[in-house]
Amino acid sequence: AANAIAAFEIEAFTLLHSPWQRYLNGDETALSPAAKAGALLFFDDAGCSRCHSGPLFTDQMAHNLAVPQVGPGKGEEAPLDYGRFRETGIPADKFAFRTPPLHNVAITGPWMHNGAFSDLRAVIAHHLNPAESLRGYDTAVHLPPALQNTFQNNPALLDEMLSGVDPLLAPTRSLTQAEISHLVAFLQALTDPAAVDMSRFVPATVPSGLPVDGIPLPTAN
């Protein structure tokens, strides 16, 4: 059963047939000019590939990006979430979270480990200037009403988070708004069109024959 489930997950959710992948396979028309410009930034001046590296766009490592602390938190530290520190106990790991892969990232918001940002431009802006982004975080823009009062904005906490920001985060130079748009275009080019609608993987019935809620049974011929 475990092997069957794993095989299904690999087939259903390994969605890598994106414009970027087609471009790598030789289709020079697969990327828009903006996406190509964004790719050059991603792998060079913007510094994104320092952490978002390899075929999955992740180094599988944990980094402190001083992401706004929102939501219920975790463990004894709640409403805070100390991230990797909860496993290692190493002070440098406090507020560090694993670099996420980026395939299909444009359709998997809200973003960051806790869903702190509601759009990709804000995510990029946070990477470029964590201090400005964290201290100016607008809950009304990024969070649903039920979560807006969960933002932990104690000045001492913000200072502690920012003091441990990973130096790999720093870009080699500042980016213009147009360049940020190019980065967004590149991230959008990592989307497999098949990932937009996953309803084809919802069965009409469970093994017992009972229908799955919301999915009509097929009619007999």
Side-chain angles (χ1 to χ4, degrees):
N3 287 338
I5 292 171
F8 166 73
E9 291 178 342
I10 291 170
E11 175 65 23
F13 305 124
T14 306
L15 299 164
L16 305 180
H17 300 295
S18 63
W20 172 246
Q21 193 60 50
R22 298 202 308 272
Y23 181 79
L24 293 182
N25 290 338
D27 181 359
E28 296 187 0
T29 67
L31 292 184
S32 67
K36 289 180 182 179
L40 291 174
L41 288 166
F42 186 95
F43 293 106
D44 194 4
D45 285 358
C48 310
S49 61
R50 295 174 196 158
C51 301
H52 291 285
S53 57
L56 296 180
F57 292 96
T58 174
D59 60 4
Q60 303 286 5
M61 304 295 289
H63 304 276
N64 175 12
L65 308 187
V67 174
Q69 290 271 312
V70 300
K74 185 173 289 187
E76 296 179 356
E77 302 82 31
L80 301 180
D81 186 343
Y82 285 166
R84 183 63 177 158
F85 174 82
R86 302 191 71 250
E87 302 298 325
T88 67
I90 299 172
D93 286 340
K94 190 177 284 189
F95 307 114
F97 296 87
R98 185 177 68 89
T99 305
L102 294 183
H103 290 290
N104 301 302
V105 65
I107 59 172
T108 58
W111 292 274
M112 312 308 277
H113 70 277
N114 55 3
F117 292 109
S118 61
D119 67 84
L120 284 174
R121 293 186 72 91
V123 173
I124 295 170
H126 183 85
H127 282 71
L128 295 174
N129 193 332
E132 180 177 85
S133 172
L134 179 61
R135 292 197 170 105
Y137 183 68
D138 189 340
T139 59
V141 170
H142 295 292
L143 297 178
L147 293 177
Q148 288 176 9
N149 65 354
T150 67
F151 173 43
Q152 304 301 311
N153 61 352
N154 180 284
L157 171 65
L158 304 189
D159 289 343
E160 180 185 7
M161 294 170 63
L162 291 167
S163 70
V165 168
D166 195 319
L168 286 175
L169 192 63
T172 57
R173 62 175 177 82
S174 61
L175 301 181
T176 67
Q177 290 301 308
E179 288 174 323
I180 291 175
S181 295
H182 293 160
L183 281 173
V184 171
F186 171 67
L187 295 175
Q188 291 171 336
L190 301 179
T191 302
D192 183 335
V196 177
D197 182 3
M198 304 294 287
S199 62
R200 65 192 180 282
F201 293 114
V202 180
T205 65
V206 294
S208 68
L210 292 175
V212 176
D213 288 347
I215 304 297
L217 288 171
T219 57
N221 292 329

